[in-house]
Structures are given as C-alpha cells and as structure tokens.
Amino acid sequence: MNKVEVYFIKTLKERAGLLLILTLLLLIPNFSWRIFFIFLMITLVLLPRDMCNGKFNIMMELPLSRKDVFWSSYIFLLVFSIFPQMIGYSFESIFVIQSPWSVGYGFLSTLTFSSAYFGIAMLSASFGFGNFGVPFLVFIADAFLGSIGWYDLNPYRMISPIYQENITLALIFALSLLMISYFIFERKGKIK
C-alpha cells in the first residue's frame, strides 16, 4: 500500500463526517466562500489538528516518516479542495459558460490559498500555538490588511493568500510559506 494511501485511509476513517460536510460545502464555486471552508479543513481535519491533539505520535507508529506525513496531508488537502471545485464548476457550467482561463485561474487560486494556509497552520502547530486560533487570527489579519487603502495602492494585496492581486507573487509567497513550514516541521523531528 502506498504511503499516501495509508494517510488517506487513516484520515477518512477518523474524520469522515466532518470531511463529508466540508466537501459538500466546497462544491460552492464562489471563491470567497470556498476559502473559509478550505481553512476549516486545514485546521480541523488535517495534520495541524493531529499535532495539537496528540494523534501525531500515534501516526508516527505507522510506516510513515515525518516527510511522508507532511506531504500526504498536503496532497489530501489539494485533492479534497480541488476535486469538489471541479464538480462545482461542472454544475455551474450548465448555467454559465466559463472560459478555460477562468477555470484554470480558479484552480490556481485554490492552490495558492491552500498552500499558504496549510503552511501557516503547520507553523503554528509546530511551535505549539495551536491549530486554529493563530491561523484564524492570521486569516482575519490577512483579510484586514488586504482591505486597507485604495485597490491599486495596497502592495500587500499582491501577495495576500485571500486577495491574490498578482497570482504569480501570491503563489510564490504561498509556496515559500509551505516550504518554510516543511523545513521547520522536519527540523523539529530531528531535534527531539
């Protein structure tokens, strides 16, 4: 059995009900609603929660390394955030014809937001600040900082995981957060 499959089976068995509800809510094609439900999935279903409630140590008894667990959780997030989006776009296309560019941009936006907030939640959990509180404060701060000032005069909007004014810079920022969280997560495992 593949290491990613082991993580998927474990997570699906433990959190099937909550995951089903969030997946159904992720069918909403509107990005503003989706980001909140993706945020809830990251903080209430995935690895940051396991780290904060003590289930991570049990998971390490499986034939998985820290690297396997981190990337399996991230892949799980992408599958369960992008697949419902694909279904949502399919239903929406019955009523509204969308260009391939807008659909691709939607997937890229989801990837950017998911990567950034998975990284933020992992950093918070790695440093012992919890899986929900600090990431939620960052979420509020992100929304607030992006709303300050005029639309064109706020440079933070360019890299903001919520606003993504410049999708390339926002994606680079998100992937940087993800990689920093991965290296800190790995390093914490080697220290202990």
mmCIF file of all heavy atoms in Angstrom, residues 165-192:
data_model
loop_
_atom_site.group_PDB
_atom_site.id
_atom_site.type_symbol
_atom_site.label_atom_id
_atom_site.label_comp_id
_atom_site.label_asym_id
_atom_site.label_seq_id
_atom_site.Cartn_x
_atom_site.Cartn_y
_atom_site.Cartn_z
ATOM 1 N N GLU A 165 -3.873 39.561 -5.681
ATOM 2 C CA GLU A 165 -3.907 40.564 -6.747
ATOM 3 C C GLU A 165 -2.946 40.227 -7.889
ATOM 4 O O GLU A 165 -3.239 40.465 -9.038
ATOM 5 C CB GLU A 165 -3.559 41.929 -6.141
ATOM 6 C CG GLU A 165 -4.086 43.101 -6.851
ATOM 7 C CD GLU A 165 -5.585 43.068 -7.022
ATOM 8 O OE1 GLU A 165 -6.323 42.755 -6.076
ATOM 9 O OE2 GLU A 165 -6.017 43.362 -8.142
ATOM 10 N N ASN A 166 -1.781 39.683 -7.541
ATOM 11 C CA ASN A 166 -0.835 39.190 -8.533
ATOM 12 C C ASN A 166 -0.666 37.702 -8.255
ATOM 13 O O ASN A 166 0.013 37.311 -7.308
ATOM 14 C CB ASN A 166 0.499 39.925 -8.419
ATOM 15 C CG ASN A 166 1.498 39.497 -9.460
ATOM 16 O OD1 ASN A 166 1.578 38.329 -9.827
ATOM 17 N ND2 ASN A 166 2.283 40.446 -9.929
ATOM 18 N N ILE A 167 -1.287 36.872 -9.053
ATOM 19 C CA ILE A 167 -1.347 35.435 -8.759
ATOM 20 C C ILE A 167 0.044 34.796 -8.717
ATOM 21 O O ILE A 167 0.295 33.901 -7.912
ATOM 22 C CB ILE A 167 -2.283 34.698 -9.746
ATOM 23 C CG1 ILE A 167 -2.581 33.271 -9.266
ATOM 24 C CG2 ILE A 167 -1.723 34.683 -11.129
ATOM 25 C CD1 ILE A 167 -3.406 33.185 -8.035
ATOM 26 N N THR A 168 0.970 35.298 -9.527
ATOM 27 C CA THR A 168 2.323 34.736 -9.531
ATOM 28 C C THR A 168 3.031 35.026 -8.216
ATOM 29 O O THR A 168 3.596 34.120 -7.592
ATOM 30 C CB THR A 168 3.143 35.313 -10.710
ATOM 31 O OG1 THR A 168 2.419 35.080 -11.912
ATOM 32 C CG2 THR A 168 4.502 34.677 -10.784
ATOM 33 N N LEU A 169 2.998 36.290 -7.765
ATOM 34 C CA LEU A 169 3.635 36.643 -6.496
ATOM 35 C C LEU A 169 2.944 35.966 -5.322
ATOM 36 O O LEU A 169 3.602 35.510 -4.382
ATOM 37 C CB LEU A 169 3.641 38.162 -6.308
ATOM 38 C CG LEU A 169 4.537 38.950 -7.254
ATOM 39 C CD1 LEU A 169 4.417 40.449 -6.978
ATOM 40 C CD2 LEU A 169 5.981 38.505 -7.121
ATOM 41 N N ALA A 170 1.620 35.881 -5.374
ATOM 42 C CA ALA A 170 0.878 35.223 -4.292
ATOM 43 C C ALA A 170 1.235 33.738 -4.219
ATOM 44 O O ALA A 170 1.394 33.186 -3.123
ATOM 45 C CB ALA A 170 -0.623 35.411 -4.487
ATOM 46 N N LEU A 171 1.375 33.096 -5.367
ATOM 47 C CA LEU A 171 1.744 31.680 -5.390
ATOM 48 C C LEU A 171 3.166 31.477 -4.870
ATOM 49 O O LEU A 171 3.421 30.547 -4.097
ATOM 50 C CB LEU A 171 1.597 31.101 -6.798
ATOM 51 C CG LEU A 171 1.879 29.611 -6.948
ATOM 52 C CD1 LEU A 171 0.929 28.785 -6.084
ATOM 53 C CD2 LEU A 171 1.771 29.192 -8.406
ATOM 54 N N ILE A 172 4.088 32.344 -5.258
ATOM 55 C CA ILE A 172 5.464 32.254 -4.760
ATOM 56 C C ILE A 172 5.489 32.430 -3.239
ATOM 57 O O ILE A 172 6.158 31.682 -2.516
ATOM 58 C CB ILE A 172 6.376 33.293 -5.452
ATOM 59 C CG1 ILE A 172 6.578 32.909 -6.923
ATOM 60 C CG2 ILE A 172 7.708 33.435 -4.732
ATOM 61 C CD1 ILE A 172 7.229 33.982 -7.769
ATOM 62 N N PHE A 173 4.730 33.408 -2.733
ATOM 63 C CA PHE A 173 4.635 33.638 -1.290
ATOM 64 C C PHE A 173 4.038 32.412 -0.584
ATOM 65 O O PHE A 173 4.550 31.959 0.435
ATOM 66 C CB PHE A 173 3.798 34.889 -1.015
ATOM 67 C CG PHE A 173 3.603 35.193 0.432
ATOM 68 C CD1 PHE A 173 4.667 35.577 1.234
ATOM 69 C CD2 PHE A 173 2.341 35.108 0.998
ATOM 70 C CE1 PHE A 173 4.483 35.853 2.574
ATOM 71 C CE2 PHE A 173 2.142 35.381 2.342
ATOM 72 C CZ PHE A 173 3.214 35.755 3.134
ATOM 73 N N ALA A 174 2.976 31.857 -1.157
ATOM 74 C CA ALA A 174 2.314 30.688 -0.561
ATOM 75 C C ALA A 174 3.244 29.480 -0.536
ATOM 76 O O ALA A 174 3.335 28.779 0.485
ATOM 77 C CB ALA A 174 1.040 30.364 -1.335
ATOM 78 N N LEU A 175 3.920 29.228 -1.640
ATOM 79 C CA LEU A 175 4.837 28.084 -1.691
ATOM 80 C C LEU A 175 6.032 28.290 -0.760
ATOM 81 O O LEU A 175 6.566 27.328 -0.196
ATOM 82 C CB LEU A 175 5.288 27.826 -3.128
ATOM 83 C CG LEU A 175 4.172 27.337 -4.068
ATOM 84 C CD1 LEU A 175 4.704 27.192 -5.488
ATOM 85 C CD2 LEU A 175 3.551 26.041 -3.579
ATOM 86 N N SER A 176 6.446 29.545 -0.578
ATOM 87 C CA SER A 176 7.523 29.843 0.382
ATOM 88 C C SER A 176 7.076 29.498 1.797
ATOM 89 O O SER A 176 7.832 28.891 2.568
ATOM 90 C CB SER A 176 7.917 31.318 0.306
ATOM 91 O OG SER A 176 8.400 31.635 -0.964
ATOM 92 N N LEU A 177 5.850 29.895 2.157
ATOM 93 C CA LEU A 177 5.317 29.545 3.479
ATOM 94 C C LEU A 177 5.249 28.034 3.660
ATOM 95 O O LEU A 177 5.594 27.506 4.717
ATOM 96 C CB LEU A 177 3.915 30.138 3.661
ATOM 97 C CG LEU A 177 3.813 31.604 3.987
ATOM 98 C CD1 LEU A 177 2.352 32.059 3.954
ATOM 99 C CD2 LEU A 177 4.417 31.895 5.356
ATOM 100 N N LEU A 178 4.806 27.347 2.619
ATOM 101 C CA LEU A 178 4.695 25.897 2.667
ATOM 102 C C LEU A 178 6.062 25.252 2.889
ATOM 103 O O LEU A 178 6.217 24.363 3.739
ATOM 104 C CB LEU A 178 4.059 25.374 1.377
ATOM 105 C CG LEU A 178 3.857 23.869 1.281
ATOM 106 C CD1 LEU A 178 2.796 23.405 2.270
ATOM 107 C CD2 LEU A 178 3.468 23.473 -0.132
ATOM 108 N N MET A 179 7.065 25.688 2.144
ATOM 109 C CA MET A 179 8.406 25.100 2.269
ATOM 110 C C MET A 179 9.044 25.428 3.619
ATOM 111 O O MET A 179 9.694 24.564 4.223
ATOM 112 C CB MET A 179 9.300 25.562 1.120
ATOM 113 C CG MET A 179 8.870 25.021 -0.229
ATOM 114 S SD MET A 179 8.586 23.238 -0.281
ATOM 115 C CE MET A 179 10.224 22.614 0.041
ATOM 116 N N ILE A 180 8.849 26.653 4.108
ATOM 117 C CA ILE A 180 9.379 27.013 5.432
ATOM 118 C C ILE A 180 8.743 26.128 6.496
ATOM 119 O O ILE A 180 9.431 25.616 7.384
ATOM 120 C CB ILE A 180 9.138 28.514 5.725
ATOM 121 C CG1 ILE A 180 10.040 29.374 4.841
ATOM 122 C CG2 ILE A 180 9.368 28.831 7.201
ATOM 123 C CD1 ILE A 180 9.684 30.845 4.833
ATOM 124 N N SER A 181 7.424 25.931 6.399
ATOM 125 C CA SER A 181 6.740 25.087 7.387
ATOM 126 C C SER A 181 7.239 23.650 7.304
ATOM 127 O O SER A 181 7.396 22.981 8.330
ATOM 128 C CB SER A 181 5.225 25.156 7.216
ATOM 129 O OG SER A 181 4.812 24.504 6.038
ATOM 130 N N TYR A 182 7.500 23.176 6.090
ATOM 131 C CA TYR A 182 8.016 21.807 5.935
ATOM 132 C C TYR A 182 9.391 21.670 6.589
ATOM 133 O O TYR A 182 9.642 20.717 7.333
ATOM 134 C CB TYR A 182 8.094 21.425 4.453
ATOM 135 C CG TYR A 182 8.866 20.157 4.221
ATOM 136 C CD1 TYR A 182 8.356 18.930 4.648
ATOM 137 C CD2 TYR A 182 10.120 20.177 3.622
ATOM 138 C CE1 TYR A 182 9.074 17.760 4.462
ATOM 139 C CE2 TYR A 182 10.833 19.013 3.437
ATOM 140 C CZ TYR A 182 10.310 17.808 3.861
ATOM 141 O OH TYR A 182 11.036 16.653 3.687
ATOM 142 N N PHE A 183 10.293 22.617 6.327
ATOM 143 C CA PHE A 183 11.640 22.529 6.889
ATOM 144 C C PHE A 183 11.615 22.625 8.413
ATOM 145 O O PHE A 183 12.352 21.913 9.102
ATOM 146 C CB PHE A 183 12.560 23.581 6.277
ATOM 147 C CG PHE A 183 12.900 23.297 4.842
ATOM 148 C CD1 PHE A 183 12.687 24.241 3.860
ATOM 149 C CD2 PHE A 183 13.411 22.061 4.454
ATOM 150 C CE1 PHE A 183 12.985 23.976 2.531
ATOM 151 C CE2 PHE A 183 13.720 21.779 3.129
ATOM 152 C CZ PHE A 183 13.503 22.748 2.168
ATOM 153 N N ILE A 184 10.761 23.479 8.959
ATOM 154 C CA ILE A 184 10.654 23.584 10.420
ATOM 155 C C ILE A 184 10.052 22.308 11.002
ATOM 156 O O ILE A 184 10.507 21.805 12.031
ATOM 157 C CB ILE A 184 9.856 24.840 10.811
ATOM 158 C CG1 ILE A 184 10.727 26.066 10.521
ATOM 159 C CG2 ILE A 184 9.432 24.799 12.275
ATOM 160 C CD1 ILE A 184 10.076 27.388 10.729
ATOM 161 N N PHE A 185 9.044 21.767 10.342
ATOM 162 C CA PHE A 185 8.430 20.512 10.783
ATOM 163 C C PHE A 185 9.462 19.384 10.779
ATOM 164 O O PHE A 185 9.551 18.618 11.739
ATOM 165 C CB PHE A 185 7.257 20.187 9.858
ATOM 166 C CG PHE A 185 6.577 18.885 10.133
ATOM 167 C CD1 PHE A 185 5.768 18.731 11.242
ATOM 168 C CD2 PHE A 185 6.716 17.805 9.263
ATOM 169 C CE1 PHE A 185 5.124 17.537 11.494
ATOM 170 C CE2 PHE A 185 6.087 16.614 9.515
ATOM 171 C CZ PHE A 185 5.290 16.472 10.637
ATOM 172 N N GLU A 186 10.240 19.283 9.740
ATOM 173 C CA GLU A 186 11.300 18.267 9.652
ATOM 174 C C GLU A 186 12.367 18.493 10.715
ATOM 175 O O GLU A 186 12.803 17.551 11.362
ATOM 176 C CB GLU A 186 11.971 18.308 8.268
ATOM 177 C CG GLU A 186 11.305 17.465 7.238
ATOM 178 C CD GLU A 186 11.542 15.977 7.460
ATOM 179 O OE1 GLU A 186 12.690 15.545 7.600
ATOM 180 O OE2 GLU A 186 10.539 15.261 7.485
ATOM 181 N N ARG A 187 12.768 19.733 10.905
ATOM 182 C CA ARG A 187 13.825 20.053 11.862
ATOM 183 C C ARG A 187 13.382 19.735 13.286
ATOM 184 O O ARG A 187 14.159 19.210 14.070
ATOM 185 C CB ARG A 187 14.213 21.518 11.748
ATOM 186 C CG ARG A 187 15.324 21.928 12.675
ATOM 187 C CD ARG A 187 16.088 23.093 12.129
ATOM 188 N NE ARG A 187 17.013 23.636 13.091
ATOM 189 C CZ ARG A 187 18.164 23.094 13.446
ATOM 190 N NH1 ARG A 187 18.512 21.944 12.916
ATOM 191 N NH2 ARG A 187 18.957 23.663 14.313
ATOM 192 N N LYS A 188 12.142 20.040 13.612
ATOM 193 C CA LYS A 188 11.643 19.732 14.948
ATOM 194 C C LYS A 188 11.683 18.230 15.212
ATOM 195 O O LYS A 188 11.890 17.802 16.339
ATOM 196 C CB LYS A 188 10.228 20.276 15.135
ATOM 197 C CG LYS A 188 10.191 21.775 15.226
ATOM 198 C CD LYS A 188 9.255 22.177 16.329
ATOM 199 C CE LYS A 188 9.333 23.665 16.506
ATOM 200 N NZ LYS A 188 9.805 24.044 17.800
ATOM 201 N N GLY A 189 11.477 17.446 14.182
ATOM 202 C CA GLY A 189 11.544 15.992 14.341
ATOM 203 C C GLY A 189 12.959 15.508 14.587
ATOM 204 O O GLY A 189 13.192 14.549 15.314
ATOM 205 N N LYS A 190 13.949 16.176 13.991
ATOM 206 C CA LYS A 190 15.338 15.766 14.164
ATOM 207 C C LYS A 190 15.902 16.219 15.501
ATOM 208 O O LYS A 190 16.809 15.607 16.020
ATOM 209 C CB LYS A 190 16.184 16.312 13.013
ATOM 210 C CG LYS A 190 15.853 15.636 11.694
ATOM 211 C CD LYS A 190 16.605 16.216 10.555
ATOM 212 C CE LYS A 190 16.170 15.547 9.253
ATOM 213 N NZ LYS A 190 16.642 16.201 8.084
ATOM 214 N N ILE A 191 15.352 17.317 16.054
ATOM 215 C CA ILE A 191 15.839 17.821 17.339
ATOM 216 C C ILE A 191 15.453 16.880 18.467
ATOM 217 O O ILE A 191 16.211 16.617 19.366
ATOM 218 C CB ILE A 191 15.288 19.242 17.601
ATOM 219 C CG1 ILE A 191 15.941 20.222 16.626
ATOM 220 C CG2 ILE A 191 15.547 19.678 19.020
ATOM 221 C CD1 ILE A 191 15.365 21.597 16.638
ATOM 222 N N LYS A 192 14.221 16.340 18.394
ATOM 223 C CA LYS A 192 13.710 15.516 19.510
ATOM 224 C C LYS A 192 14.341 14.162 19.564
ATOM 225 O O LYS A 192 14.869 13.588 18.780
ATOM 226 C CB LYS A 192 12.194 15.381 19.385
ATOM 227 C CG LYS A 192 11.529 16.695 19.638
ATOM 228 C CD LYS A 192 10.037 16.555 19.564
ATOM 229 C CE LYS A 192 9.379 17.894 19.819
ATOM 230 N NZ LYS A 192 7.966 17.853 19.757
#
